[in-house]
């Protein structure tokens, strides 16, 4: 089997098209394992110990990595900064080096500081998987999103995908843009001017501020949450006004002359960026994204482990 060109999964930016295709194809095989009626696991990583090191809150990503590791028969330990010695002033590098001293082979890390996994990669030998670094990248989310579009539409090349919402504070947006562009999709972003970075068009994507026009253009709409915890200024008057002008709802979708696929990385703020009616509709693949996340993360962990084998 082919190998990845990287030792760590730090972001999508530094992956090749072949890397992404290899991850998606490997995820296909692991999805078959997960769909077996019995024994939904393989012994592939039974000699490995993986630490899930989360300095930021998470539901989907942390549980999805933990399940992926268990399905690969790895030993795991979980670290949450909130009840650790980080609270006593321990540095990131000291924390990780202490975890590695316990003979841990791989680190899956979420951290609020952009670039923190890249910093670690310069100082430690173990493989690192970025589970989200601040406003920078969330590579496994983009991979599972690409996998889910491919599963629903057959291929990604030529598909029109719009990412709607708080692009400026989103790591999901940047990783999705890198992944979808590499795989040949046409990509647009849509949101208020204050939530779209000025540099974004230099990535070769369209910018739209009218949500109806954006929805009419696309095959797939990936709707993002307003990242209030990362906003340091008031970028729009109120959540109510945001929902009025940029929220995805039934009356907007009913006006389209076609059916589109609705995605959301979660967590959803129902009634703000998307109504419940749309999030739970037959055109939504939101829970398929979550399901596919386990297979995609199994693929990432398996392929990175192959690098050191
Ligand atoms: N999509 C995502 O990263 O969700 P969590 O923050 O719950 O992990």
């Amino acid at each position: 089997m082919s190998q990845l060109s990287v030792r760590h999964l730090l972001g999508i930016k530094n992956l090749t098209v072949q890397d992404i295709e290899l991850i998606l194809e490997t995820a296909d095989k692991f999805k078959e394992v997960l769909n077996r009626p019995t024994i939904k696991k393989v012994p592939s990583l039974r000699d490995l110990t993986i630490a899930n090191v989360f300095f930021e809150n998470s539901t989907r990503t942390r549980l999805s990595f933990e399940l992926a590791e268990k399905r690969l028969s790895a030993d795991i330990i979980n670290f949450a900064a909130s009840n650790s010695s980080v609270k006593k002033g321990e540095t990131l590098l000291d924390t990780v080096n202490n975890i590695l001293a316990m003979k841990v082979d791989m680190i899956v890390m979420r951290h609020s500081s952009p670039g923190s996994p890249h910093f670690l990669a310069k100082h430690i030998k173990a493989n690192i998987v970025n589970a989200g670094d601040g406003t920078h990248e969330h590579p496994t989310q983009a991979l599972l999103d690409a996998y889910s579009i491919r599963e629903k539409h057959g291929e990604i090349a030529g598909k029109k995908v719009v990412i709607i919402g708080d692009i400026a504070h989103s790591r999901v947006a940047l990783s999705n843009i890198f992944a979808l562009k590499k795989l040949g999709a046409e990509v647009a972003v849509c949101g208020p001017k204050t939530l779209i970075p000025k540099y974004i068009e230099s990535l070769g994507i369209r910018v739209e501020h009218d949500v109806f026009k954006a929805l009419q253009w696309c095959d797939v709409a990936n709707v993002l949450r307003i990242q209030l915890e990362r906003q340091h200024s008031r970028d729009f008057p109120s959540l109510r006004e945001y929902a009025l002008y940029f929220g995805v709802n039934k009356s907007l979708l009913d006006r389209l002359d076609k059916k589109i696929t609705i995605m959301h990385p979660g967590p959803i703020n129902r009634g703000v960026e998307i109504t419940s009616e749309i999030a739970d509709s037959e055109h939504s693949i939101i829970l398929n994204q979550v399901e596919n996340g386990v297979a995609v993360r199994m693929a990432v962990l398996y392929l990175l482990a192959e690098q050191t084998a």
Side-chain angles (χ1 to χ4, degrees), residues 87 106 117 121 132 134 167 173 176 180 197 248 250 253 270 277 285 288 295:
K87 294 281 174 204
M106 204 182 286
I167 311 300
N176 260 268
L180 293 168
V248 176
K250 187 168 183 306
L253 295 193
R270 289 173 182 264
E277 209 170 7
I285 58 166
N288 305 78

Side-chain angles (χ1 to χ4, degrees), residues 294-309:
V294 180
V296 167
R297 291 182 171 113
M298 285 173 80
V300 166
L301 297 166
Y302 172 81
L303 289 165
L304 287 178
E306 286 278 287
Q307 296 287 65
T308 42

Side-chain angles (χ1 to χ4, degrees), residues 245-262:
Y245 288 102
F246 293 96
V248 176
N249 57 45
K250 187 168 183 306
S251 73
L252 268 175
L253 295 193
D254 283 349
R255 282 168 56 208
L256 303 180
D257 58 17
K258 60 181 178 181
K259 300 295 178 204
I260 62 169
T261 300
I262 301 294

Side-chain angles (χ1 to χ4, degrees), residues 26 59 64 78 164 215 241 295 309:
T26 308
T59 298
S64 182
N78 290 312
I164 303 173
L215 293 170
E241 191 162 317

Side-chain angles (χ1 to χ4, degrees), residues 52 61-69 108 129 131 140 297 301:
N52 300 310
T61 312
R62 202 189 66 72
L63 292 176
S64 182
F65 268 112
E66 184 170 341
L67 197 54
E69 291 151 6
V108 174
V129 182
T140 55
R297 291 182 171 113
L301 297 166

Side-chain angles (χ1 to χ4, degrees), residues 103-117:
K103 306 295 178 208
V104 165
D105 304 290
M106 204 182 286
I107 299 283
V108 174
M109 185 175 79
R110 171 168 287 192
H111 201 285
S112 56
S113 294
S116 44

Side-chain angles (χ1 to χ4, degrees), residues 42-56:
V42 287
S44 313
L45 300 194
R46 69 180 167 203
D47 296 327
L48 247 62
T49 303
I50 302 176
N52 300 310
V53 181
F54 277 65
F55 290 87
E56 238 193 29

